[in-house]
Amino acid sequence: MATPPKSGLQRPAELDQCIDVSGMVDPEGGLVDRRVFTDEAVYKQEMSRIFARSWLFIAHESQFQKPGDFFQTYMGEDPVIATMNKKREIRVLLNSCRHRGARVCRADQGRTKMFTCTYHGWAYDLDGNLVNLPGKEQYDENFSQDDWPLVTVPRVESYKGLIFANWDENAEPLEDALGDMRWYIDAFMDRDSEGTYVVGGVTKWVLDGNWKLAAEQFATDWYHVNMSHASALMVMSPSGKGPKKEIAERTGVQYHDDHGNGAGFPVHPKNRFDAQPVHEYYDYDFLRERLSPEQVMGPMTNGHATVFPNFSYLPVNGSIRVWHPKGPNKMEVWAWTVLDRSMPEDVARAQRLYNLRTFGPSGIFEQDDGENWSECQSIAHGFMVGNTPLNYQMGMATVGEREGFPGTTSELYSDAAGRALYRRWRELMSTPAWHEK
């Protein structure tokens, strides 16, 4: 179950009051109120109406090999433990002891037989059941251990090795929430019949900026590339002068849907991976048959994507990441490197190093992005700044359908996926969640 057993407690209604944010986002007009990034009440409502009811990325299946394997992460600001039980099922448990609320697991990852709170010693098995507590004889005969398990996330599902969880036990299935986005994910996660795995652990860093700034960029924003990453593009180009005009001004496709998911990518029949060993490894003719010609000339290589609300990925370097919210003004980035299982060692190493050099915490592209988000956030608390709306109007005339590319699309340079993300945000923020009903 998703909630603790009912009790005689009654919280004052004022503590859970929600505010009307419907007027803060205008997807049809392409405008966003800047206070969606700074307001504490808005942020609190996001925790209860977005993160408590959405499918949130937890981990990759390859992180769990044997019963007892666990990985500690967050759903919104709630700490959770993902673990493989004795039946080899993945369970996701709220990492908070039912006695006084301390975490029962403090290690980032590992293997264990049970989780024991270091405060008073309450111990839980891999399914979250309370199996031992010191001084049990001090409780009266009405006390039952069965009534005090760890709170369990009721829905855990995976797609192509990506594990997601949802607090809403009546939520639509993960694949339905992904919709046509699955086709774009497949171009990244289904290139190899043997599947994928993550390597190198999880890289973590903290940024000043609201989590939505990162999520929206990865959903919708190819527009910033030539300006923000100009110096990085110069360094990476063979001439040292930056990419040629036909490369810098590539055309492409941007996808979005009603669930707030978005992806964008250049489209070219000769699309390729940037790391030379990776490019030479792939059999593009074979992949046109395994996937489709459209997937190979588009989302298989370059591009960006976000699964609403806060899971993003970059196919070209095998980067997946979560933007963990840490208050309205801060986020914690967790990033993994995903590799195809059939990759030989030298190719896997080249892809991992390319990821670290470009989109690791000190990567030449990643630092540009973090600087932009922090800059946007640093001035957003000003009175005049906070009352000046933001423009999301690019690409309104290009939204439609394109043959070979599922779902609703627009040109590559567009805010369409950003408008869709905020439309979904407004919808959820304006609708009572399962725990309010």
Side-chain angles (χ1 to χ4, degrees):
M1 59 183 174
T3 55
K6 292 182 179 179
S7 71
L9 300 177
Q10 187 171 357
R11 178 182 296 168
E14 305 84 64
L15 295 180
D16 292 317
Q17 284 182 346
C18 288
I19 58 176
D20 182 5
V21 301
S22 59
M24 300 181 75
V25 172
D26 177 14
E28 292 68 33
L31 300 174
V32 171
D33 186 324
R34 207 171 305 199
R35 289 188 65 181
V36 304
F37 302 110
T38 61
D39 189 87
E40 290 281 353
V42 169
Y43 177 78
K44 179 183 177 182
Q45 196 159 313
E46 288 177 338
M47 294 301 104
S48 66
R49 288 195 170 177
I50 291 181
F51 287 90
R53 76 197 305 183
S54 298
W55 284 103
L56 304 178
F57 178 74
I58 299 296
H60 190 278
E61 288 179 353
S62 64
Q63 294 177 253
F64 307 92
Q65 300 296 319
K66 296 182 179 180
D69 284 352
F70 68 87
F71 175 69
Q72 184 183 179
T73 184
Y74 291 89
M75 296 177 68
E77 287 209 40
D78 286 312
V80 295
I81 311 163
T83 185
M84 178 180 281
N85 67 11
K86 292 181 179 180
K87 296 180 181 179
R88 303 187 70 84
E89 302 165 330
I90 302 299
R91 306 295 300 275
V92 181
L93 312 169
L94 187 65
N95 190 7
S96 177
C97 182
R98 293 296 305 281
H99 182 234
R100 290 294 186 273
R103 286 180 295 168
V104 299
C105 178
R106 300 191 185 186
D108 290 342
Q109 59 189 23
R111 183 174 297 155
T112 189
K113 294 182 179 180
M114 65 178 61
F115 302 101
T116 302
C117 179
T118 57
Y119 194 177
H120 295 93
W122 284 33
Y124 304 84
D125 66 15
L126 300 176
D127 288 299
N129 299 307
L130 179 59
V131 294
N132 187 54
L133 69 159
K136 181 181 177 182
E137 65 277 4
Q138 302 302 321
Y139 290 85
D140 66 30
E141 60 184 12
N142 295 319
F143 176 83
S144 172
Q145 291 181 203
D146 294 340
D147 294 336
W148 297 95
L150 294 177
V151 178
T152 303
V153 184
R155 298 286 297 279
V156 180
E157 298 178 17
S158 63
Y159 184 76
K160 300 298 170 68
L162 304 172
I163 301 171
F164 290 79
N166 195 318
W167 287 111
D168 184 357
E169 60 185 350
N170 295 314
E172 62 183 329
L174 173 63
E175 291 199 12
D176 291 349
L178 293 175
D180 287 327
M181 185 72 179
R182 289 176 293 167
W183 185 88
Y184 299 91
I185 293 174
D186 289 350
F188 172 33
M189 299 297 294
D190 198 30
R191 299 185 294 234
D192 187 344
S193 61
E194 298 297 316
T196 59
Y197 68 103
V198 293
V199 63
V202 186
T203 308
K204 307 174 184 179
W205 62 99
V206 175
L207 290 174
D208 291 330
N210 187 274
W211 66 273
K212 295 186 291 299
L213 292 170
E216 71 158 60
Q217 178 177 300
F218 274 62
T220 200
D221 195 347
W222 189 269
Y223 184 39
H224 79 287
V225 173
N226 291 330
M227 173 62 73
S228 291
H229 302 310
S231 60
L233 294 173
M234 289 177 63
V235 170
M236 296 183 67
S237 67
S239 67
K241 299 179 180 179
K244 296 179 180 179
K245 182 179 176 63
E246 59 269 24
I247 296 177
E249 299 178 4
R250 283 178 291 187
T251 58
V253 172
Q254 187 179 115
Y255 161 84
H256 68 272
D257 60 35
D258 291 340
H259 284 85
N261 307 315
F265 44 87
V267 172
H268 194 281
K270 292 185 179 180
N271 261 0
R272 52 167 291 166
F273 286 89
D274 291 346
Q276 188 68 19
V278 179
H279 166 64
E280 294 173 351
Y281 162 73
Y282 277 108
D283 183 338
Y284 292 91
D285 290 333
F286 167 76
L287 288 173
R288 289 184 184 95
E289 297 179 5
R290 176 174 175 80
L291 299 170
S292 72
E294 289 80 9
Q295 284 169 304
V296 173
M297 72 179 183
M300 191 191 81
T301 52
N302 273 306
H304 49 81
T306 290
V307 174
F308 185 89
N310 66 328
F311 172 71
S312 299
Y313 65 84
L314 299 165
V316 73
N317 56 7
S319 177
I320 62 175
R321 66 260 310 280
V322 176
W323 318 104
H324 286 302
K326 299 296 178 183
N329 300 300
K330 186 170 290 187
M331 69 180 110
E332 194 167 303
V333 189
W334 288 23
W336 294 252
T337 301
V338 176
L339 303 173
D340 290 351
R341 285 198 177 275
S342 299
M343 276 184 172
E345 185 176 345
D346 61 323
V347 177
R349 182 176 184 274
Q351 183 71 326
R352 178 169 177 260
L353 291 177
Y354 180 73
N355 185 12
L356 291 174
R357 290 165 180 164
T358 54
F359 282 93
S362 59
I364 56 177
F365 290 96
E366 189 69 48
Q367 291 200 51
D368 294 334
D369 290 336
E371 178 69 17
N372 286 334
W373 303 328
S374 297
E375 168 65 15
C376 292
Q377 195 74 22
S378 67
I379 64 170
H381 292 269
F383 174 75
M384 290 303 297
V385 170
N387 283 281
T388 303
L390 299 175
N391 182 297
Y392 287 77
Q393 297 176 341
M394 178 179 279
M396 283 187 164
T398 70
V399 175
E401 296 181 355
R402 282 163 177 72
E403 184 177 356
F405 297 93
T408 306
T409 62
S410 65
E411 295 296 333
L412 176 62
Y413 294 95
S414 172
D415 290 327
R419 292 191 294 271
L421 184 147
Y422 287 110
R423 184 181 295 110
R424 178 62 168 169
W425 181 90
R426 183 182 65 179
E427 175 189 357
L428 295 182
M429 290 284 282
S430 303
T431 308
W434 59 272
H435 52 85
E436 297 175 276
K437 300 173 184 177

